[in-house]
């Protein structure tokens, strides 16, 4: 097996992580989340170090230090999500994990996705989760021990779950670390092609940039792009005809948004429509389900109105909780 | 440092297999954590939260591969994953509230009628 | 086989059996199939009547009519003479090719073989069946309705089976009839199926028959293996030449010893001889006509018939081993049964043991090479034994099932029983061998044969003769014991305790017997208020009269063809496979049968009957050794002197019975002194013998012995098998059945309805799958 890290090391590290996670799962008697977290962190750290060592051994580049930071934050907050006893905190930690994931996306040059993640996920979905948590919350007392519901306080079968999941993780990572070797990095032509395929569709942007740089006069249009050894060359046509090749400045590159836009809307328009339909269905479903609440609300409202009409003390209107 | 922050000014370079492996490991680890959380926690909302976490992990993997292959397919897919996650979250939460009102408890073990 | 039969058949039809048994070679007319066919039709009609809920006596009368038709057919076949002898094939039955190259063929057709033996048998089978059928129309009238139909169905089926047995032209069809009579015997003995004793007796009869049938079946198989055929005609031709299917001589091989012995086992099972006799006395639980027909006249003679039919095979043995066994077995059985009868009090049982005893005589006759005597005794015994049984049945019918001779007396003088008593007297005379009765002549032939057959042919023939003489004397004694106790003497009766007597007598149990001991019996029949003897009606009376007349008439058959063939029976036997030159008997014509060359032992015995017979062909056995002269008795020809000896013994027996059991007065022959049904002179004498009479009364505990030695171990074995069946086989099946249940119980806890456990299962499954893929793909 040609794995990036040695399989035994991998499995041992994963085992350590597993132990740590199992310890962190909420339990009745003693709270070992801190220790568990540290143990898990150790495991992860070992693995990351191993990966880094392997990268250095090949002479390749290391991922940016921001990666390590963001990864630790992401995994740590995920651990807190799954082990914190209070649901609200779990949701909040999840938001933190989303933010660090967004950072990882930025490192991967997918800034649009990062923004989208934050706006949609953290900003909409998670807020909804928080609303529902508070809606369905049952804690009446602030006290730590008594206020937490039974189902939150104790995890169910942590050992079995951990063993099973980390077995899966071991298998996954083995597969990943071996398969990664087999994935061929993109060929040079496709790299070159990738550069120009989006820019070709943005002549306006090129014209603007070239005009700003002074390499082009008004009235001229860019009609083509080609990639040569000297760099990317643009074919500029003059107003009266005649074309010349102009080298593009090096920092002229399509943004992630532009590239994604062309891919999303250009190659998958139908899928967008379907996505819209899915969202519509979800909305309809939520409305249907919510209608029943409305019914309950109506009944409560009716009794409250009747009570009011009798002139008794306004005890109605107690919201359904 | 500033170069790193301004990485967007130039077309992104290809990343190596090893770096890809780093990201994939993070994805796998997050997935596993989500799995553990799903199997362990009994609060329905937290369970759904853990499924969201698994979506996250998938997203990281997709974006990493998108970067590796220098195309935008992965990112497009993540957009749709987000869409589906949103739709699912809406419906799931509506159902959770519904179930909560029935049993007055958020525990997944309150619904064990399919026993046997 | 068939190619041999042609020249040989021609010869034998021209010269009746110059070289062995008579083999009927012609074609019998197909209408002889009416003899089994009419009863079969009767059986089907009785089933129809049962379905239609016929409540009258129609099934009975129809049966009698059909059986009379059968008898007419038998008469016609007999009167047609030799022309009717041969084989009539009705339809093709079994033709199977077996063997690896399908070269061996088992052929058994539904065909009938008529010769003297089967004609004689069919005469008395159909005749007796008709008469006894008439008798039973009245006897079972109390069960009119389904029971009536059931009775006559089994009756008809029985006659069909017996006809098939007797007339079969191959061993397989004979076996069909054999099994059929066993089945009908079971059905009829167990006719009163609500009586546990009857049911047990039926089972006992069937099972013991079955044990014998095993021997018969093995014999059939061996016959097929050795001779390659099951049909009589080719078989007899081969045996006549002394060869088997491959042409090898069979004279001194196992063939002529083992096969006859196996046949004998089958015959003994059916005819209640030797170890197999225990079923016959119990079979008296059946209705009396059944006892008369089946267990006196027809079914129990099937064994005799079998041996007579297969006699060529028996006689082919030089050492006569099987025949010796048959003779001794018959003799011992006859003697044993007679000893038991001294102390039996149930008159039907006495008649049953008497049947066993007389059958012993018949087998002894066969074993002593006196086939003519045996066959004639079968014929006469059928008549007089049936008469005796019917009379006993009339008594039983009339007195509410009372059969004990300690409780009946003077029946002759009771109203309506005169005919019964007369017929009984005639039957008793015949059974005891009083001079000039049928039984006298037929028994004499056998007794004389015992002394005529030299002892080096049948070992110990002289001793057999002495034993048989003793048994004959005992027979006379116990027969007239019944007569002197039951039919004459002071009138007395006590009703029996079964409700077969209908509306009277059912509630009078034996409890009255103690009450009435001290009363004088002059009044007799008014002892019990409400119970009156039920005299037999016209059907029963006419049946008894017919049979009594028949008993008298058959005595005259002794004189038909007496000089040539020793009686009418001899004529019939001569033209059958049982033909054999019995030692001591000379034959008047050249058609005497002798095996092989007649060179051996030209010296016949003392004197031959006919001066016209210069060469005494009597005692010629065969081709081997010259043997001693035919035996003598008191230095005289046994056949002549036996007339006197047996007469003396018979009269002695009757006098003894009169002395011990006879009533005062003329009917006790002047020497009896019985005044009460219970107190007889015999009791005082018997007391001197200590426990022996009691042992005899308990049938020498043979049944108990069988029960202990055979039945109980089998019961234990059956319990063992039952346990194995329940524990092992049932247990195995239950185990297999409980396996899914157990598996389900094991797996059910996984369905606990909790979401998490399902999810954990899913993850575990996918983890295993991925691990497997990873391991397989990457290793």
């Amino acid at each position: 097996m040609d794995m990036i890290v040695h399989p035994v090391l991998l499995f041992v590290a994963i085992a350590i992580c597993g132990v740590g996670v199992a310890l962190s799962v909420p339990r009745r008697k003693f709270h070992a989340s801190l220790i568990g977290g540290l143990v898990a962190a150790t495991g992860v750290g070992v693995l990351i170090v191993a990966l880094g060592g392997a990268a250095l051994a090949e002479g390749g580049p290391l991922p940016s230090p921001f990666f390590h930071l963001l990864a630790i934050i992401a995994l740590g907050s995920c651990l807190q999500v799954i082990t914190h006893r209070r649901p609200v905190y779990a949701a909040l930690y999840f938001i933190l994990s989303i933010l660090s994931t967004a950072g990882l996306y930025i490192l991967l040059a997918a800034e649009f996705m990062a923004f989208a993640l934050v706006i949609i996920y953290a900003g909409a979905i998670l807020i909804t989760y928080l609303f529902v948590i508070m809606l369905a919350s049952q804690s009446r007392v602030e006290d730590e021990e008594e206020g937490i519901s039974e189902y939150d306080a104790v995890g169910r079968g942590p050992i079995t779950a951990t063993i099973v999941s980390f077995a899966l993780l071991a298998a996954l990572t083995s597969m990943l670390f071996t398969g990664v070797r087999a994935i061929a990095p993109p060929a040079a032509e496709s790299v070159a092609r990738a550069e120009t395929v989006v820019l070709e569709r943005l002549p306006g942007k090129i014209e603007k940039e070239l005009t700003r740089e002074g390499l082009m006069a008004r009235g001229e249009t860019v009609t083509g792009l080609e990639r040569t050894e000297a760099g990317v060359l643009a074919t500029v046509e003059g107003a009266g005809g005649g074309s010349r090749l102009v080298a593009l400045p090096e920092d002229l590159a399509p943004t992630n948004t532009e590239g994604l836009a062309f891919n999303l809307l250009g190659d998958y328009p139908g899928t967008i429509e379907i996505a819209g339909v899915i969202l519509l269905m979800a909305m309809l479903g939520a409305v249907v389900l919510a209608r029943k609440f409305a019914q309950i609300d109506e009944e409560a409202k009716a009794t409250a109105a009747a009570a009011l009409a009798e002139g008794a003390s306004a005890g109605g209107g107690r919201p359904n909780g | 440092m500033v170069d790193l922050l301004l990485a967007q000014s130039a077309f992104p370079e290809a990343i190596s297999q090893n770096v890809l492996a780093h990201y994939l490991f993070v994805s796998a680890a997050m997935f596993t954590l989500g799995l553990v959380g799903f199997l362990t926690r009994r609060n329905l909302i937290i369970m759904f939260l853990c499924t969201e976490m698994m979506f996250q992990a998938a997203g990281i993997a997709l974006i990493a591969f998108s970067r590796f292959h220098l195309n935008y397919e992965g990112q497009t897919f993540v957009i749709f994953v987000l869409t589906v996650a949103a739709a699912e979250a809406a419906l799931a939460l509506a159902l959770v509230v519904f179930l909560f009102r029935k049993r007055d408890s958020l525990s997944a073990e309150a619904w064990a009628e399919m026993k046997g | 086989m068939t190619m041999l039969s042609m020249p040989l058949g021609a010869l034998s039809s021209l010269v009746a059996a110059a070289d062995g048994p008579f083999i009927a070679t012609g074609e019998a007319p197909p209408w002889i199939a009416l003899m089994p066919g009419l009863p079969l039709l009767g059986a089907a009609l009785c089933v129809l009547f049962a379905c239609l809920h016929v409540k009258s006596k129609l099934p009975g009368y129809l049966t009698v009519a059909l059986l009379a038709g059968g008898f007419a057919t038998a008469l016609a076949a007999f009167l047609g003479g030799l022309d009717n002898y041969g084989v009539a094939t009705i339809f093709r039955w079994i033709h199977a090719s077996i063997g690896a190259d399908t070269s061996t063929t088992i052929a058994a057709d539904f065909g009938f073989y008529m010769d003297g033996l089967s004609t004689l048998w069919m005469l008395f089978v159909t005749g007796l069946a008709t008469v006894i059928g008439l008798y039973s129309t009245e006897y079972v009238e109390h069960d009119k309705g389904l029971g009536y139909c059931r009775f006559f169905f089994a009756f008809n089926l029985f006659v069909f089976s017996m006809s098939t047995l007797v007339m079969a032209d191959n061993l397989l069809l004979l076996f069909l009839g054999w099994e059929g009579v066993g089945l009908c015997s079971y059905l009829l003995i167990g006719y009163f199926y609500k009586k546990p004793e009857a049911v047990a007796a039926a089972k006992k009869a069937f099972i013991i028959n079955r044990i014998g049938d095993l021997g018969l079946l093995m014999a059939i198989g061996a016959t097929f293996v050795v001779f390659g055929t099951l049909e009589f005609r080719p078989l007899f031709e081969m045996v006549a030449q002394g060869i088997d299917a491959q042409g090898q001589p069979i004279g001194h091989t196992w063939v002529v010893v083992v096969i006859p012995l196996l046949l004998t086992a089958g015959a003994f099972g059916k005819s209640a001889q030797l170890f197999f006799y225990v079923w016959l006395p119990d079979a008296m639980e059946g209705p009396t006509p059944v006892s008369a027909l089946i267990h006196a006249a027809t079914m129990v003679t099937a064994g005799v018939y079998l041996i007579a039919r297969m006699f060529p095979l028996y006689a082919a043995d030089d050492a006569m081993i099987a025949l010796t066994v048959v003779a001794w077995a018959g003799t011992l059985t006859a003697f044993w049964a007679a000893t038991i009868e001294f102390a039996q009090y149930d008159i039907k049982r006495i008649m049953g043991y008497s049947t066993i005893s007389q059958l012993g005589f018949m087998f002894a006759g066969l074993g002593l090479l006196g086939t003519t005597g045996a066959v004639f005794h079968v014929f006469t015994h059928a008549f007089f034994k049936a008469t005796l049984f019917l009379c006993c049945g009339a008594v039983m019918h009339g007195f509410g099932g009372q059969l004990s001779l300690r409780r009946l007396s003077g029946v002759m003088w009771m109203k309506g029983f005169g005919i019964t008593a007369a017929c009984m007297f005639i039957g008793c005379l015949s059974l005891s061998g009083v001079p000039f009765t049928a039984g006298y002549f037929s028994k004499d032939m056998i007794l004389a044969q015992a002394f005529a057959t030299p002892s080096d042919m049948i070992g110990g023939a002289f001793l057999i003769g002495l034993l048989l003489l003793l048994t004959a004397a005992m027979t006379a004694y116990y027969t007239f014991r019944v007569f002197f106790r039951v039919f004459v003497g002071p009138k007395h009766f006590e009703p029996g305790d079964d409700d077969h007597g209908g509306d009277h007598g059912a509630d009078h149990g034996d409890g009255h017997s103690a009450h009435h001991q001290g009363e004088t019996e002059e009044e007799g029949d008014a002892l019990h208020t409400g119970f009156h003897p039920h005299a037999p009606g016209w059907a029963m009376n006419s049946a008894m009269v017919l049979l009594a007349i028949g008993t008298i008439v058959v005595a005259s058959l002794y004189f038909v063809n007496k000089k040539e063939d020793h009686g009418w029976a001899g004529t019939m036997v001569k033209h059958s496979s049982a033909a054999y030159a019995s030692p001591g008997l000379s034959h008047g014509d050249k058609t005497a049968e002798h095996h092989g060359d007649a060179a051996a032992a030209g010296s016949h015995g003392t004197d031959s009957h006919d001066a016209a017979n210069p060469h005494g062909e009597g005692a010629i056995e065969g081709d081997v050794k010259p043997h001693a002269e035919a035996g003598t008795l008191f230095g005289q020809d046994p056949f002549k002197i036996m007339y006197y000896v047996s007469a003396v013994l018979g009269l002695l027996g009757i006098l003894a019975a009169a002395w011990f059991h006879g009533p005062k007065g003329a009917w006790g022959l002047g020497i009896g002194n019985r005044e009460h049904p219970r107190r007889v002179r015999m009791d005082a004498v018997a007391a001197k013998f200590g426990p022996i009479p009691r042992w005899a009364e308990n049938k020498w505990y043979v049944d108990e012995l069988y029960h202990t030695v055979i039945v109980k171990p089998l019961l234990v074995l059956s319990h063992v098998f039952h346990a194995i069946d329940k524990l092992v086989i049932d247990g195995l099946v239950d185990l297999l059945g409980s396996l899914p249940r157990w598996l389900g119980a094991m797996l059910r806890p996984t369905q606990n309805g909790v979401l998490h456990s399902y999810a954990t299962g899913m993850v575990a499954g996918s983890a295993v799958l991925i691990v497997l893929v990873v391991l397989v793909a990457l290793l």
Side-chain angles (χ1 to χ4, degrees), chain C residues 181-207:
Chain C
V181 297
L183 170 70
C184 296
S185 164
Y186 169 80
L187 289 175
L188 287 166
I189 297 174
Y191 175 71
F192 299 118
Y193 59 84
K194 294 202 173 121
K195 262 174 82 174
E197 298 92 11
V199 171
K203 270 193 292 191
K204 189 170 175 180
F206 193 77
I207 292 175

Side-chain angles (χ1 to χ4, degrees), chain C residues 113-122 124-125 162-171 174 178 232 236 267 271 298-311 314 359 362-363 366 374-375 378 576-578:
Chain C
Y113 180 80
M114 293 303 285
D115 65 357
L117 195 67
S118 39
T119 310
L120 181 146
W121 231 273
M122 285 321 294
F124 78 79
V125 165
M162 191 70 201
S163 312
T164 310
L165 192 159
V166 167
M167 288 167 41
D169 81 329
N170 60 72
L171 280 169
L174 186 148
W178 191 271
F232 288 140
F236 293 152
S271 298
T298 43
M299 180 177 108
V300 292
T301 57
V304 183
Y305 174 80
L306 180 70
I307 295 188
R309 174 59 81 214
M310 298 298 286
F311 204 76
Y314 283 82
L359 283 169
M362 294 173 215
F363 279 104
L366 279 176
V375 170
V378 168
S576 76
S577 59

Side-chain angles (χ1 to χ4, degrees), chain C residues 394 399 411-421 533-537 541 544:
Chain C
F399 290 95
V411 172
M412 190 192 287
W413 293 295
M414 298 193 193
K415 195 155 151 334
F417 282 93
I419 295 181
T420 310
H534 176 65
N541 275 336
M544 287 190 281

Side-chain angles (χ1 to χ4, degrees), chain C residues 621-675:
Chain C
E621 144 62 6
D623 38 357
V624 203
K625 54 174 171 32
H627 49 75
E629 329 173 315
T632 63
L633 180 61
F634 304 135
Q636 303 290 320
D637 174 21
F639 286 91
K640 277 195 175 157
I641 204 164
M642 193 48 69
Y643 293 131
Y644 307 106
V645 173
S646 69
V648 167
L649 286 173
L651 287 171
L652 275 178
I654 296 175
L655 285 173
W659 169 259
F660 286 116
H661 299 279
K664 267 194 180 145
W667 279 103
L669 301 181
I671 51 177
N673 74 339
R674 181 171 68 88
E675 286 172 9

Side-chain angles (χ1 to χ4, degrees), chain C residues 206-280:
Chain C
F206 193 77
I207 292 175
I208 295 183
N209 275 350
R210 223 56 188 112
I211 299 174
D213 291 350
L214 178 65
L216 178 58
L217 210 48
M218 285 164 68
I220 294 177
T223 308
F224 182 73
V225 164
V226 170
F227 293 103
T229 177
L230 291 172
E231 296 176 352
F232 288 140
R233 207 157 34 183
L235 183 65
F236 293 152
E237 279 153 11
M238 272 193 272
V239 174
Q241 294 195 301
I243 58 171
D244 64 6
Q246 276 81 33
Q248 305 296 319
I250 56 170
H252 300 276
T253 60
W254 63 273
V255 171
V256 289
V257 176
V258 172
I259 298 183
L261 282 176
L262 288 171
L263 287 169
T264 311
F268 282 177
K270 189 67 77 181
S271 298
Q273 296 294 295
L274 213 55
F275 306 114
F276 300 102
Y277 78 87
V278 289
W279 66 267
L280 193 48

Side-chain angles (χ1 to χ4, degrees), chain A residues 25-320:
Chain A
V25 169
R27 57 187 61 211
R28 195 171 291 282
K29 283 291 173 56
F30 63 95
H31 308 305
S33 1
L34 196 57
I35 305 173
L38 284 173
V39 170
T42 316
V44 170
V46 162
L47 213 45
I48 296 213
V49 163
L51 277 171
L56 282 176
E58 290 162 17
L62 271 181
S64 136
F66 284 118
F67 165 77
H68 298 98
L69 182 64
L70 288 168
I72 291 289
I73 296 176
L75 293 178
S77 54
C78 280
L79 187 63
Q80 283 288 66
V81 168
I82 68 176
T83 59
H84 206 281
R85 283 176 309 180
R86 288 182 177 278
V88 178
Y89 278 81
L92 291 172
Y93 274 112
F94 192 61
I95 295 180
L96 178 59
S97 133
I98 288 173
L99 292 173
S100 37
T101 307
L104 284 173
Y105 284 8
I106 293 180
L107 282 176
L108 285 169
E111 64 265 18
F112 177 76
M113 299 311 304
F115 304 151
L117 199 71
V118 171
I119 294 170
I120 298 171
Y121 230 108
I125 299 176
L126 265 290
I127 299 300
T128 313
Y129 267 95
L130 277 167
F131 282 163
V132 175
I133 289 172
M134 289 172 199
L135 193 64
S137 165
Q138 275 200 304
S139 62
R140 296 175 293 273
V141 184
E142 299 302 320
D143 186 33
E144 176 109 336
E145 289 305 321
E146 294 174 12
I148 300 177
S149 335
E150 172 69 27
Y151 46 84
D152 281 330
V154 181
R156 183 198 159 93
I159 309 285
T160 318
T162 317
I163 291 175
V164 158
S165 311
F166 277 85
L168 191 62
L169 176 64
L172 273 175
T173 46
S174 317
M175 201 168 59
L176 285 171
F177 288 172
T178 318
V180 150
R181 284 255 185 266
I183 305 177
E189 301 86 44
S190 40
V191 174
R193 183 93 189 90
E195 287 183 9
T196 59
V197 69
V198 177
L199 273 181
E200 278 172 351
R201 297 164 159 201
L202 298 165
K205 180 173 171 163
I206 303 174
E207 286 168 5
K208 196 161 103 191
E209 190 62 28
L210 283 179
T211 312
R212 194 175 65 83
E213 293 276 326
L215 296 168
M216 211 170 90
R218 258 180 226 281
E220 287 178 327
T221 54
V222 169
T223 52
L225 271 183
E226 57 188 81
R227 168 83 180 174
T228 60
E229 293 94 19
V232 182
L233 299 174
T235 311
V236 177
E237 278 191 4
S243 58
R244 60 191 166 96
L245 291 171
V246 175
L248 285 178
E250 279 181 7
D251 55 356
L252 180 58
T255 62
N256 180 253
T257 315
E258 289 161 350
L260 180 60
F262 276 114
N263 192 296
L264 184 64
L265 295 165
D267 294 342
Y268 299 105
T271 322
I272 293 181
E273 305 298 331
I274 296 174
V277 171
I278 291 176
L279 288 168
L280 179 65
M281 288 190 314
M283 189 176 70
L284 286 175
V287 165
V288 165
L289 284 170
R291 224 159 44 88
K292 302 213 169 128
F293 312 146
Q295 272 178 352
I296 298 170
D297 289 341
E298 292 291 351
E299 284 168 18
K301 275 193 211 158
T303 44
L308 269 175
E310 286 174 10
S313 58
R318 185 173 78 86
N320 295 314

Side-chain angles (χ1 to χ4, degrees), chain B residues 55-68:
Chain B
F55 278 127
Q56 282 274 76
I60 296 181
L62 283 164
I63 303 291
F65 275 113
S66 163
R67 171 61 189 271
F68 183 76

